[in-house]
Amino acid sequence: MSVAAPAEVRQTLPHLLARRGLRLTGPRRAVLEVLAESREPLTVAEIHQRLGGTRAHVVSVYRTVHLLVRLRLVRPTDAVRPTDATRGSRRYELGEEFTGHHHHLICQGCGRIEDLDGCWLADAVLTRLTRYVRRTRRFEVSEHEVRLFGLCQRCAR
C-alpha cells in the first residue's frame, strides 16, 4: 500500500480541509498524524491511546474521527466478530486519497486487519459486475471493497 508519509499528510491536510470550509484544528491534525503513522487500521480507543491522552479528550477523538469519515479523509473498516461492534471495535484508516485503493485480510481469530495492496479485481470483471448490478437491481455502484476472512499465521498454528 502506498501510505502517505506523515509529513505529506501534514502538508496536504490544510488545503483539503480549507476546500471544505474547515480549519485544521489540533485534534484533527493529531488524529490524522496517528493514522498516517499506523501500519494498520485503529479503533478510536487506540487512536486516543497513541495520542497519549493529554493531546485530546476521547470524546474529541470520536467527534474528530466521525467528521473525518464524513469528509472521506478517513474510512472505517467493519468489525470482524459479532462482539467487536458491541465493544466499539470499529477500526479506521486514512482514506484512499492518502493510501491508494486497497483491500483487507481480516483474521477471525485475533481480529487483526492487514492491507492487501492494490485492487485484485480485474477491470473487465468489475465492469461486468457493475453493469449487471445496474441492470438487474437499478443500483449505481460508486466504489467497492473486498474483505478476505480467515486466520492469520499466528492464529492458524
Side-chain angles (χ1 to χ4, degrees), residues 95-114:
E96 289 185 3
E97 188 168 352
F98 298 110
T99 63
H101 183 69
H102 64 281
H103 302 293
H104 295 109
L105 303 173
I106 301 173
C107 179
Q108 291 174 303
C110 65
R112 184 168 182 264
I113 300 173
E114 187 177 328

Side-chain angles (χ1 to χ4, degrees), residues 24-97:
L24 180 59
T25 63
R28 291 172 189 165
R29 179 187 303 274
V31 166
L32 286 160
E33 285 178 1
V34 165
L35 290 172
E37 291 169 359
S38 177
R39 301 291 301 151
E40 62 189 14
L42 301 171
T43 64
V44 170
E46 290 168 335
I47 294 168
H48 183 254
Q49 180 182 7
R50 291 186 186 193
L51 289 173
T54 58
R55 291 175 68 186
H57 191 276
V58 70
V59 173
S60 184
V61 175
Y62 270 102
R63 287 184 188 138
T64 299
V65 166
H66 291 290
L67 170 69
L68 296 171
V69 167
R70 281 195 311 272
L71 297 173
R72 301 183 73 115
L73 297 174
V74 168
R75 75 179 194 155
T77 59
D78 288 331
V80 179
R81 298 168 290 213
T83 56
D84 288 347
T86 59
R87 289 188 310 208
S89 295
R90 188 163 217 196
R91 297 178 181 276
Y92 300 89
E93 65 183 356
L94 289 179
E96 289 185 3
E97 188 168 352

